[in-house]
Amino acid sequence: MDESGDGRRPQPGPAGPGPGKGAPPRRDEPGGGILMGRPFGVPVYVAPSWFLVAALITWVFGGQLDRVLPDLGAARYLVALFFAIAFYASVLVHELAHTIAALRYKLPVRRIQLQFFGGVSEIEKESETPGREFVLAFVGPLLSLVLGGLFYVPLRFVERGTVPAVLLGGLMISNLIVAAFNLLPGLPLDGGRMLRAVVWKITGKPMSGTVAAAWVGRALAVVTLIGLPLLTRSGSLGNDADEISGMDTVTDALLAAILAAIIWTGAGNSLRMARLREHLPGLRARSLTRRAVPVEAATPLSEALRRANEAGARALVVVDGTGEPKALVRETAIVAVPEHRRPWVAVSGLAQDLTDGMKVPAELAGEALLDRLKATPATEYLVVEETGEIYGVLSTADVERAFVAAMARPAA
């Protein structure tokens, strides 16, 4: 399953690792899991939850092999584990297709993660056009279809009832199922992204495409929750309805509930992120900046605050003798100084030295502004004009409040 309303593209199915070469696996990013490699410069992680699913696949597929190839004995579980790894190598290829397309369109990809119910390509920006959005979504299922075909070709030349035939047949069918499932026209599936692109192209509004595809995705979640157990119970999926046990019914219902929850949640996240991107242009450094007064390093805090009050300013910038800004006085540090001590405390003791990353152009807005703040985390930033003149101080607290207020407004 692919979910990219927030730049994340998940791929559902039993999660497993892609093959990794080079350095030994290691934990490299908080929450990322085990780093397995960096194809095309993009880190690939395997989440700890994959090991649980790998064990589950090994147990379930191993049980099926016992009926098909009874002579394997305990070795069937090694074959089943190989199937889990090979299948999620296919999932990795699916995700790499999204990643390569994103890089082709100069969209940054933070990472690929293989996890409990599939893979995630974390693409950090939205496509600029509906055509690119359609291509970016379609390449994943396309690669899964191609893989299904590639597994079918050698299957024609191997003897039936053998381990290679079972593995090739299982990988062919699983890739075709992944492709077909992801082509369903609802977010967060790839088909939902394609539907979004079509509606975006027709209406000229990406938000309209997101709303349409997200609600179709929610409808798919309901159909999955109710329909999958009914199909299994009726024998429509090729199983014998008379041989279905109570445990099989519970397992199918649990699987349907998990898939429905993933689809419903992904559709909701897509709506929220679309609304966020719609409101982002309203976040402007110039309009959020506090007026500031320049003070020299030795100025007592009480005197600096008096000047700020007279000027109607809410921030202090420490400057040298030539008026060049050197540091910002932190608001939290001011609040921590008792009023009776302020005449004896110099502003230099409460200031944070300026770095280049803490100087923000006054014209920055939207996603570019957030990217700039994220690149250099701080509590305050110096906002400057194109000429280098001090415009004021931008507080992250003010940005957060504006962000929450923007998200609370209904979408246009």
Side-chain angles (χ1 to χ4, degrees):
M1 184 191 309
D2 286 298
E3 172 187 329
S4 56
D6 59 344
R8 298 167 57 89
R9 297 185 172 269
Q11 164 84 26
K21 297 181 179 180
R26 61 187 179 88
R27 192 171 294 275
D28 187 71
E29 179 176 325
I34 300 173
L35 179 64
M36 301 302 293
R38 294 180 180 272
F40 305 101
V42 177
V44 175
Y45 295 92
V46 173
S49 60
W50 173 80
F51 296 97
L52 174 63
V53 177
L56 179 62
I57 295 174
T58 301
W59 176 60
V60 172
F61 193 64
Q64 295 174 346
L65 285 175
D66 191 34
R67 293 193 292 269
V68 179
L69 300 171
D71 295 337
L72 279 179
R76 68 183 183 273
Y77 292 109
L78 289 177
V79 176
L81 178 59
F82 179 82
F83 171 80
I85 295 174
F87 173 59
Y88 266 81
S90 301
V91 172
L92 176 60
V93 172
H94 179 115
E95 294 304 324
L96 284 173
H98 290 304
T99 294
I100 294 170
L103 295 176
R104 172 68 178 81
Y105 292 138
K106 302 189 185 306
L107 300 176
V109 182
R110 181 186 176 199
R111 65 182 179 180
I112 296 173
Q113 187 184 51
L114 301 179
Q115 51 186 225
F116 183 82
F117 251 85
V120 179
S121 298
E122 296 190 9
I123 301 171
E124 297 184 339
K125 291 186 178 181
E126 287 285 335
S127 302
E128 296 178 354
T129 67
R132 290 184 175 186
E133 173 78 350
F134 190 94
V135 172
L136 191 58
F138 181 61
V139 290
L142 177 62
L143 257 293
S144 293
L145 287 171
V146 170
L147 286 174
L150 290 177
F151 287 121
Y152 171 72
V153 172
L155 180 61
R156 298 178 58 188
F157 300 100
V158 299
E159 182 181 352
R160 292 186 178 184
T162 62
V163 170
V166 171
L167 285 175
L168 289 169
L171 291 170
M172 178 194 71
I173 293 172
S174 58
N175 275 281
L176 293 178
I177 290 174
V178 166
F181 186 74
N182 273 281
L183 286 172
L184 293 175
L187 287 171
L189 302 169
D190 288 326
R193 305 296 300 179
M194 294 160 66
L195 174 62
R196 174 181 183 266
V198 171
V199 177
W200 177 3
K201 179 67 174 179
I202 294 172
T203 64
K205 298 178 180 179
M207 186 64 184
S208 297
T210 301
V211 171
W215 279 107
V216 173
R218 286 175 168 175
L220 284 174
V222 175
V223 170
T224 300
L225 179 63
I226 299 172
L228 185 58
L230 291 178
L231 285 174
T232 304
R233 191 69 184 173
S234 67
S236 300
L237 298 180
N239 51 325
D240 190 339
D242 295 332
E243 295 181 358
I244 297 175
S245 65
M247 180 59 69
D248 291 333
T249 301
V250 172
T251 302
D252 291 338
L254 180 60
L255 175 62
I258 294 174
L259 284 175
I262 291 174
I263 296 172
W264 184 279
T265 302
N269 286 340
S270 297
L271 278 175
R272 283 189 291 273
M273 293 308 299
R275 186 172 64 179
L276 161 63
R277 293 183 184 278
E278 188 175 57
H279 290 311
L280 271 182
L283 299 179
R284 298 184 175 276
R286 186 177 294 278
S287 61
L288 295 173
T289 296
R290 300 178 178 184
R291 186 176 180 183
V293 294
V295 293
E296 294 188 355
T299 306
L301 177 59
S302 59
E303 171 61 16
L305 292 177
R306 185 191 66 79
R307 296 181 192 175
N309 289 333
E310 285 184 353
R314 298 176 56 206
L316 303 173
V317 179
V318 178
V319 298
D320 60 17
T322 64
E324 183 72 18
K326 294 298 181 182
L328 300 178
V329 180
R330 293 168 295 150
E331 183 181 20
T332 54
I334 295 174
V335 173
V337 179
E339 190 169 350
H340 69 275
R341 293 193 61 239
R342 291 177 179 178
W344 318 108
V345 176
V347 293
S348 60
L350 309 174
Q352 179 178 5
D353 291 340
L354 275 173
T355 63
D356 289 338
M358 292 171 62
K359 294 180 179 179
V360 175
E363 299 306 320
L364 270 187
E367 198 165 353
L369 173 61
L370 295 184
D371 287 343
R372 184 66 171 265
L373 302 189
K374 185 170 62 176
T376 308
T379 56
E380 285 94 10
Y381 298 84
L382 181 68
V383 180
V384 295
E385 299 281 12
E386 291 183 2
T387 60
E389 180 183 357
I390 297 174
Y391 181 75
V393 171
L394 178 65
S395 168
T396 53
D398 292 340
V399 176
E400 289 170 2
R401 279 191 288 269
F403 181 84
V404 171
M407 288 297 291
R409 292 196 298 270

